[in-house]
Amino acid sequence: MLSWDETIFRNPEVFDPDYVPDELLFRDSQIRQLVSCIRPAMLNSSPINAFCLGPPSTGKTSTIKYVLREAESEAGILYSYIRIPRFREPYKVFSKIFQDVLGQQSPPSGISKTVLMDRVWSNLDEPLLIVLDDINFLSKAYANEILYEILKAPDEYGVKVGIVAAATDVKFPLLLDPFVGASFHYMEIHYPSYGYREMEEILRKRVEYGFYEGVFDSRAFRRVVELAYNAGDVRYGIYLLKAAGVNAESRGSRKVEDKDVEVAHAGESLSFVAKILTALNSEERAVLRIIYSNDAIPTGDLYEQVSSEIKMSYRKYYNILEKLERLKLIEISFGEKGKGKTRYVHRKYDVEVVEKAMELI
Ligand SMILES: Nc1ncnc2c1ncn2[C@@H]1O[C@H](COP(=O)(O)OP(=O)(O)O)[C@@H](O)[C@H]1O
Ligand SMILES: [Mg+2]
């Protein structure tokens, strides 16, 4: 048994969701571009606007925070970091900027947005960088309002201000009002998805920092990389590393093995699937149950099985299949059967995971 002071985690904090590693792999060029946008602020001129674009978990937030941390320790730089999903409305965004610039809580509501921002701009005597992370969580109207307020400030108040925005939706900048778009010039910084080897390296570094040497079994590690790669999400890999470590400790082991990874993965899929299942009605669940009692099955054969149990038109049956596919509970693909091409229905999860999830809801 492990006792309280005996842990396999060397640095458990490296698995926290907001941990920013000291070393960001494969992102040198993005970091360089960010630095060149922010550097003018350190020389007392206006930062250059930047737009970081790329799928989830490609290091947008991490590189931004990394560069801010460096800039801060180098020269001190005034910035306001805003994670949009937490501050979805202009008033909340402006209050956060107020707080970061004036170093005090914004006045309780009752004061208008215009007055609030007038006080910000009038008190600003050094370059300011405003980070709007995950900006695609804003409605189009709100995004336009916020950007407009910031973009007009240099002309109206003579202040020096720049924006670093990040979004997963590459089309997002195109949705802006032409008026805002016309004055919003920025450097586009692209974040491509990580390949298998890149994910492997990132996760390996995390194991080295996070666990004591020799704790994480190499087969278990390979499994984590594979699952993260299948999910297309390095963040999921980091979650699995930690959860597997916790599982190993809780069975009193000093070694993380592949069964610990499987348990973590199954647990995660289970709560994920259970959540999706609540969106299904009883007929849809019945079809799903039949699908999961078969291996890959042609859609026609499946319809026969379904209609022998539940009265259902082919059209309705097909709509249900489409919904289940959209929810990523099943996959439909073409295969050969006899002469022609046939559509096959495949399971996406382990049978046990779906059965357990069905019992849970
Ligand atoms: N290049 C990298 N090197 C090390 N860790 C990374 C790298 N890219 C992403 N990560 C890790 O993956 C997770 C997601 O990264 P994040 O910066 O939040 O992505 P995004 O903002 O693009 O969704 C974080 O835990 C982060 O530490
Ligand atoms: Mg992010």
Side-chain angles (χ1 to χ4, degrees):
M1 277 300 269
L2 295 170
S3 59
W4 283 110
D5 53 355
E6 251 184 301
T7 169
I8 58 176
F9 288 101
R10 194 202 311 255
N11 294 303
E13 71 280 2
V14 310
F15 302 106
D16 291 347
D18 57 357
Y19 169 77
V20 179
D22 291 330
E23 199 179 353
L24 287 165
L25 301 169
F26 317 113
R27 286 298 178 242
D28 288 351
S29 109
Q30 288 81 358
I31 290 175
R32 222 175 302 119
Q33 293 174 77
L34 278 171
V35 167
S36 65
C37 289
I38 295 173
R39 189 180 289 120
M42 300 163 80
L43 305 170
N44 203 28
S45 77
S46 297
I48 295 161
N49 299 326
F51 217 125
C52 303
L53 294 165
S57 291
T58 50
K60 299 181 296 300
T61 301
S62 303
T63 48
I64 294 170
K65 289 194 164 169
Y66 177 89
V67 170
L68 288 176
R69 188 167 71 190
E70 299 276 301
E72 210 173 16
S73 70
E74 282 275 309
I77 172 184
L78 179 63
Y79 66 84
S80 181
Y81 174 87
I82 300 157
R83 216 179 69 78
I84 292 298
R86 277 193 62 203
F87 302 87
R88 266 176 203 249
E89 294 155 27
Y91 199 90
K92 293 192 177 141
V93 171
F94 296 155
S95 302
K96 176 71 164 60
I97 298 174
F98 183 99
Q99 197 181 324
D100 290 335
V101 170
L102 285 100
Q104 63 190 63
Q105 285 286 325
S106 68
S109 55
I111 130 170
S112 76
K113 287 182 279 193
T114 320
V115 175
L116 194 66
M117 286 313 280
D118 177 69
R119 285 192 42 201
V120 169
W121 303 130
S122 313
N123 280 286
L124 192 61
D125 51 13
E126 59 181 300
L128 168 68
L129 185 77
I130 298 177
V131 180
L132 302 170
D133 198 357
D134 288 326
I135 191 175
N136 47 303
F137 279 82
L138 284 174
S139 72
K140 191 178 152 198
Y142 284 168
N144 282 314
E145 182 181 345
I146 292 166
L147 289 170
Y148 180 67
E149 174 64 43
I150 300 169
L151 293 167
K152 73 182 170 60
D155 276 348
E156 290 191 4
Y157 292 85
V159 292
K160 294 166 182 164
V161 57
I163 298 168
V164 170
T168 46
D169 183 357
V170 180
K171 289 198 291 289
F172 184 85
L174 304 173
L175 299 173
L176 299 171
D177 266 1
F179 187 72
V180 170
S183 49
F184 189 24
H185 306 289
Y186 50 82
M187 184 192 259
E188 239 177 58
I189 306 179
H190 289 274
Y191 290 71
S193 301
Y194 296 122
Y196 186 90
R197 294 280 162 229
E198 292 175 321
M199 280 206 188
E200 188 179 17
E201 279 312 296
I202 291 171
L203 292 170
R204 191 190 309 284
K205 274 266 147 50
R206 211 54 72 100
V207 168
E208 282 170 16
Y209 293 134
F211 289 100
Y212 286 107
E213 215 179 314
V215 159
F216 217 99
D217 172 70
S218 63
R219 257 184 50 197
F221 177 71
R222 258 200 318 266
R223 182 70 177 134
V224 170
V225 178
E226 184 181 278
L227 289 168
Y229 184 71
N230 290 344
D233 193 342
V234 68
R235 191 179 275 128
Y236 185 51
I238 294 171
Y239 163 80
L240 285 178
L241 292 178
K242 179 180 180 175
V246 170
N247 289 341
E249 282 197 340
S250 68
R251 64 183 176 84
S253 166
R254 283 205 62 85
K255 190 126 189 127
V256 187
E257 292 170 22
D258 38 1
K259 62 182 170 200
D260 300 310
V261 175
E262 294 307 338
V263 170
H265 176 56
E268 191 52 23
S269 327
L270 180 63
S271 54
F272 186 72
V273 171
K275 216 186 288 164
I276 303 179
L277 291 188
T278 58
L280 302 181
N281 64 30
S282 56
E283 276 177 331
E284 292 159 349
R285 283 179 203 172
V287 173
L288 187 69
R289 189 169 286 136
I290 295 170
I291 293 172
Y292 270 76
S293 63
N294 288 283
D295 289 327
I297 179 173
T299 49
D301 298 3
L302 178 64
Y303 178 62
E304 273 175 31
Q305 273 195 42
V306 168
S307 56
S308 73
E309 283 188 32
I310 320 157
K311 218 170 136 276
M312 188 182 290
S313 71
Y314 192 82
R315 183 172 186 82
K316 175 152 191 200
Y317 156 76
Y318 211 80
N319 286 340
I320 293 179
L321 281 193
E322 282 185 334
K323 177 169 178 183
L324 297 177
E325 190 186 27
R326 220 168 33 245
L327 292 171
K328 299 202 162 60
L329 290 167
I330 63 168
E331 209 168 73
I332 304 174
S333 66
F334 280 104
E336 303 286 340
K337 188 201 178 195
K339 278 195 210 131
K341 281 216 185 321
T342 307
R343 281 205 188 84
Y344 280 82
V345 181
H346 304 262
R347 302 182 287 239
K348 292 254 321 192
Y349 289 91
D350 285 345
V351 180
E352 303 81 64
V353 168
V354 171
E355 278 172 357
K356 260 206 205 128
M358 293 256 190
E359 285 166 24
L360 279 180
I361 54 166

